[in-house]
Amino acid sequence: MNFLQTEIPRIDAIKKLYQTFGVTVNVLRLDLVHPVISGNKWFKLKEYLKDAGQENKKTILTFGGAYSNHIIATAAACKEAGFNSIGIIRGEKPKEFSPTLEDAQTAGMHLFFCSRDDYKSKIIPQTIWQQFAQNDIYIINEGGYGEKGKEGAANILDLRTKEYTHIIAATGTGTTLAGIVSAANPGQKITGISALKNYNQLNEEINALLPHCLHNQYTIYHDYHFGGYAKHNTELINFMNNWYNETGIPSDFVYTGKLFYAANDLIQKEFFLPGSNILIIHSGGLQGNRSLPKGTLMY
Ligand SMILES: *Cc1c(COP(=O)(O)O)cnc(C)c1O
């Protein structure tokens, strides 16, 4: 499967901003590993696709919203790896497709829309069985949550990341964080910034993917959601523009903008002891910025 080849993620140093706090800050640029299958989604997906191939499945089915990074990544990865793909999309079919859905469809993904209630219970629309053989279908959870996703995400860390005392990442389902926790050195402190509001089961969901000895060997911050999942305000947008100005690193408003905001805030509040060597994981997701009005972001 040639889609397994991607760029080795670059690490960008942004030391000069934080010299006064005695910490060094670096960013692992997963946003650059692939033009479409960006960030952590590529790492999570590849283990699922390997598994689907071993089970001789021909079609990948998964779930997501109209701007979902997971949907577009799945569509593109399936195209490269030679699978059919099906996306079950939350909400009624819109008159006009979002750029994400347009691109997913162009990549060959078959889109099925379902009501928010049916979506919640992950009901697979009956019409799918008129077009696809049930035995050929391999199902990936919403957001790629699960064991294989964690195994793939563990590969985000490599020999270069061993030197860091702290690793910070954005979390949705927690799969990526579970992968990072499972691959980290015993001494490394892992911090997750939740993109959701009041997601009280997050620790439970992460622990379910980890051996007992790693349960709660990480910290989650729940206070940087800016009103909830995919919510934003001018403070966040201004921060994202300033961050881009100062570091040259673009971020998205759903996950990584909030991640960099949180990291910056925690550094300013001297949460990290002097001498800390911090790695922030840029998990990609920039395509989602296309839902913002033109001109909101300077990049
Ligand atoms: C999906 C996503 C996340 C969340 O990953 P989980 O493994 O679900 O916690 C973080 N950042 C970006 C950019 C994403 O697209």
Side-chain angles (χ1 to χ4, degrees):
M1 279 190 281
N2 64 356
F3 83 99
L4 293 174
Q5 263 95 54
T6 56
E7 304 274 331
I8 292 173
R10 197 171 90 193
I11 297 179
D12 285 355
I14 46 170
K15 290 180 185 132
K16 63 175 172 26
L17 284 175
Y18 296 115
Q19 264 162 4
T20 49
F21 298 95
V23 302
T24 48
V25 181
N26 289 268
V27 176
L28 182 69
R29 298 292 304 275
L30 302 186
D31 56 315
L32 301 175
V33 296
H34 186 283
V36 186
I37 318 166
S38 96
N40 62 339
K41 295 300 181 285
W42 182 82
F43 285 88
K44 289 197 280 187
L45 278 169
K46 68 178 179 173
E47 292 303 320
Y48 285 113
L49 297 193
K50 260 194 222 165
D51 194 40
Q54 277 158 10
E55 290 185 16
N56 286 321
K57 304 287 189 185
K58 296 184 174 53
T59 302
I60 307 294
L61 179 152
T62 196
F63 305 85
Y67 287 94
S68 163
N69 296 328
H70 172 65
I71 285 290
I72 181 62
T74 304
C78 285
K79 186 182 175 201
E80 283 198 24
F83 291 98
N84 303 314
S85 62
I86 300 173
I88 299 188
I89 309 300
R90 182 178 56 235
E92 302 304 330
K93 186 174 181 173
K95 278 206 188 76
E96 212 176 300
F97 276 12
S98 64
T100 309
L101 294 182
E102 283 286 349
D103 289 352
Q105 197 171 48
T106 304
M109 183 175 257
H110 301 264
L111 301 177
F112 293 86
F113 295 84
C114 73
S115 72
R116 279 161 198 274
D117 282 345
D118 283 356
Y119 185 88
K120 256 198 194 125
S121 35
K122 299 292 175 289
I123 290 170
I124 296 177
Q126 286 303 312
T127 49
I128 286 181
W129 309 126
Q130 294 156 14
Q131 290 178 51
F132 297 92
Q134 195 157 352
N135 289 339
D136 283 345
I137 292 186
Y138 184 92
I139 297 178
I140 301 179
N141 288 333
E142 181 178 31
Y145 175 81
E147 196 65 36
K148 293 285 167 198
K150 175 203 74 178
E151 285 172 23
N155 295 313
I156 289 171
L157 300 193
D158 61 24
L159 286 174
R160 299 170 303 162
T161 62
K162 290 195 179 299
E163 68 174 85
Y164 297 96
T165 57
H166 295 75
I167 298 176
I168 314 180
T171 76
T173 65
T175 309
T176 301
L177 204 77
I180 290 169
V181 170
S182 71
N185 292 341
Q188 284 180 316
K189 292 200 167 47
I190 312 299
T191 301
I193 307 299
S194 180
L196 285 77
K197 186 177 173 178
N198 301 332
Y199 187 18
N200 300 319
Q201 303 86 11
L202 181 54
N203 282 66
E204 229 171 277
E205 297 281 325
I206 294 173
N207 288 343
L209 299 175
L210 291 172
H212 206 264
C213 61
L214 292 178
H215 283 193
N216 302 310
Q217 296 298 306
Y218 55 87
T219 308
I220 306 276
Y221 283 88
H222 291 275
D223 305 329
Y224 293 104
H225 54 71
F226 284 84
Y229 182 73
K231 297 278 196 304
H232 59 90
N233 61 18
T234 41
E235 189 187 359
L236 178 65
I237 299 295
N238 289 343
F239 173 83
M240 288 164 62
N241 279 327
N242 285 337
W243 178 261
Y244 180 75
N245 248 339
E246 288 172 12
T247 66
I249 300 176
S251 55
D252 78 296
F253 74 95
V254 181
Y255 292 104
T256 56
K258 295 174 185 181
L259 166 69
F260 291 131
Y261 184 100
N264 178 70
D265 193 50
L266 292 169
I267 292 167
Q268 310 270 350
K269 289 178 176 158
E270 302 185 18
F271 169 86
F272 303 100
L273 291 175
S276 296
N277 193 10
I278 302 163
L279 183 69
I280 309 176
I281 313 281
H282 193 320
S283 39
L286 298 173
Q287 67 89 26
N289 286 340
R290 294 182 294 182
S291 72
L292 295 172
K294 275 210 168 55
T296 307
L297 295 170
M298 57 187 287
Y299 49 86

